[in-house]
């Protein structure tokens, strides 16, 4: 007899996985090791939760839907130690949850808020070892795209600057109940060491990337005119006649770092 009686809630992005093969592939990709602090975002009716719990013995889950809390805890009985955090994931402090350790995150994410979730968890990148997320395939394609590709954009640069992005496998709509209207993909994200990334001013970096892709057909000279001059772009070693979609992630970092130096007043470009 199933513990779960409520119908799926569309507003919470509830598409429950039922394809055993896909579930096994996710657990295999996560491959939990003894001592890992596993956290699942959005356990739903436990499709990934219970196999992970059986295998690993302990798991923390974050679920917003109050109707799922009791059924989850009842169904987990005897499988291992399940800690349920009944909260909006966007309000969870992952640094605090990690404590002295670092987390491994897993989740078939609610697609309507997947990008805010990604950026929220990345605010605590130093507390995270890796993430295995199911997302819309179109989002995973954008996350992993490189310069010159049509899908290369703000999400690709912002994410690849701080994470290694490894698309793993695609999942068709039929693997879920109810089936979503789009194809899905599982991706592994591994945060980079912030020291090695070397972004000096994250807010400025974000602004440069946003403006550069704001009108992606424009040259950098035009797209960035609210932030800097052509001379400053040249001084950063970047050609101002390029468009954002032609720039490597590292070049965006160099450019924003060079502008940051100007902002601090140690360099001046004068026109007299
Ligand atoms: N993991 C389950 C599976 O694979 O069958 C469910 C995945 S379903 C796509 C997304 C889950 O995230 C649902 O259980 C939903 O209730 C939960 N959810 C939606 N918004 C949330 C939020 N803001 N915080 C935490 N969980 C949320």
């Amino acid at each position: 007899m199933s513990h779960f009686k409520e119908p799926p809630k569309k507003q919470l992005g509830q598409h429950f996985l039922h394809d055993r093969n896909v579930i096994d592939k996710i657990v295999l990709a996560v491959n939990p090791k003894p001592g890992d602090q596993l956290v699942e975002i959005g356990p739903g009716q436990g499709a990934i939760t219970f196999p992970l719990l059986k295998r690993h013995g302990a798991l923390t889950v974050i679920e917003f839907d109050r109707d799922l809390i009791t059924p989850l805890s009842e169904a987990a009985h005897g499988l291992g130690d399940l800690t349920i955090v009944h909260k909006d994931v966007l309000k969870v402090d992952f640094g605090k949850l990690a404590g002295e350790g670092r987390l491994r995150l897993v989740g078939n994410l609610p697609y309507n808020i997947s990008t805010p979730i990604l950026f929220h968890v990345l605010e605590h990148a130093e507390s995270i070892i890796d993430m295995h997320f199911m997302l819309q395939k179109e989002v995973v394609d954008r996350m992993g795209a490189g310069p010159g590709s049509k899908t290369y954009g703000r999400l690709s640069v912002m994410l690849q600057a701080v994470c290694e992005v490894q698309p793993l496998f695609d999942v068709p709509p039929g693997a879920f109940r109810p089936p979503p209207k789009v194809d899905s993909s599982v991706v592994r994200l591994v945060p980079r060491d912030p020291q090695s990334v070397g972004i000096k001013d994250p807010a400025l970096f974000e602004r440069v990337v946003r403006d550069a892709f704001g009108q992606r057909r424009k040259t950098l000279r035009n797209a960035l005119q609210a932030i800097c001059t052509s001379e400053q772009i040249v001084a950063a070693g970047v050609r101002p006649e390029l468009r954002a979609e032609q720039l490597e992630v590292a070049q965006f970092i160099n450019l924003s770092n060079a502008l940051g130096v100007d902002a601090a007043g140690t360099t001046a470009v004068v026109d007299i």
Side-chain angles (χ1 to χ4, degrees):
M1 189 197 72
S2 173
H3 294 268
F4 299 95
K5 312 232 180 291
E6 296 285 325
K9 298 184 174 89
K10 203 175 166 198
Q11 71 277 19
L12 289 176
Q14 291 183 350
H15 296 276
F16 299 124
L17 253 179
H18 67 85
D19 186 318
R20 180 87 351 239
N21 193 26
V22 173
I23 295 166
D24 288 349
K25 275 168 86 174
I26 294 173
V27 174
L28 212 63
V30 177
N31 192 20
K33 301 276 174 3
D36 281 352
Q37 270 183 273
L38 286 189
V39 176
E40 186 189 1
I41 299 171
Q45 300 185 342
I48 310 169
T49 319
F50 300 138
L52 273 180
L53 191 59
K54 269 191 222 160
R55 180 166 161 165
H56 193 56
L59 180 68
T60 296
V61 295
I62 302 165
E63 177 57 64
F64 194 37
D65 184 355
R66 83 155 68 84
D67 293 332
L68 291 173
I69 306 302
T70 305
L72 267 172
S73 89
E74 285 173 359
H77 192 71
L79 299 181
D81 299 330
L82 183 68
T83 304
I84 304 177
V85 180
H86 176 203
K87 203 165 174 175
D88 177 356
V89 63
L90 295 174
K91 303 220 165 89
V92 171
D93 181 338
F94 283 89
K96 208 162 150 191
L97 196 60
E100 297 295 297
R102 286 168 76 217
L103 307 173
R104 300 193 65 203
L105 303 185
V106 187
N108 169 14
L109 299 186
Y111 293 171
N112 47 342
I113 53 164
S114 62
T115 310
I117 292 176
L118 283 173
F119 284 104
H120 175 68
V121 298
L122 282 169
E123 283 171 20
H124 305 277
E126 71 292 342
S127 303
I128 295 167
I129 295 176
D130 60 13
M131 298 162 257
H132 290 80
F133 288 148
M134 174 94 74
L135 296 158
Q136 265 175 263
K137 175 172 162 42
E138 179 260 323
V139 174
V140 173
D141 287 347
R142 285 197 281 132
M143 286 162 64
S149 143
K150 266 196 200 131
T151 46
Y152 184 62
R154 193 173 152 209
L155 184 68
S156 332
V157 176
M158 293 305 296
L159 223 63
Q160 290 171 34
V162 292
C163 278
E164 200 187 311
V165 178
Q166 300 172 11
L168 296 181
F169 53 89
D170 296 341
V171 181
F176 306 84
R177 258 189 227 112
K181 290 201 175 70
V182 293
D183 283 329
S184 303
S185 285
V186 175
V187 67
R188 177 186 292 132
L189 303 172
V190 185
R192 301 182 199 279
D193 170 12
Q195 302 292 338
S196 72
V197 173
I199 297 173
K200 289 186 186 150
D201 179 345
L204 181 59
F205 176 69
E206 214 261 307
R207 171 92 199 271
V208 168
V209 176
R210 179 159 33 93
D211 281 17
F213 283 106
Q215 289 153 302
R216 55 188 295 140
R217 302 307 302 166
K218 279 193 174 179
T219 61
L220 292 171
R221 174 188 291 118
N222 290 329
L224 296 179
Q225 62 186 356
I227 313 178
C228 61
T229 63
S230 279
E231 289 78 6
Q232 286 173 297
I233 300 174
V234 173
V238 175
R239 286 168 36 217
E241 68 276 16
L242 293 181
R243 292 190 306 272
E245 63 203 33
Q246 297 172 287
L247 231 56
E248 305 274 346
V249 175
Q251 290 179 292
F252 277 105
I253 297 176
N254 289 344
L255 179 56
S256 84
N257 283 349
L259 299 180
V261 169
D262 281 356
T266 49
T267 327
V269 180
V270 290
D271 182 13
I272 39 177

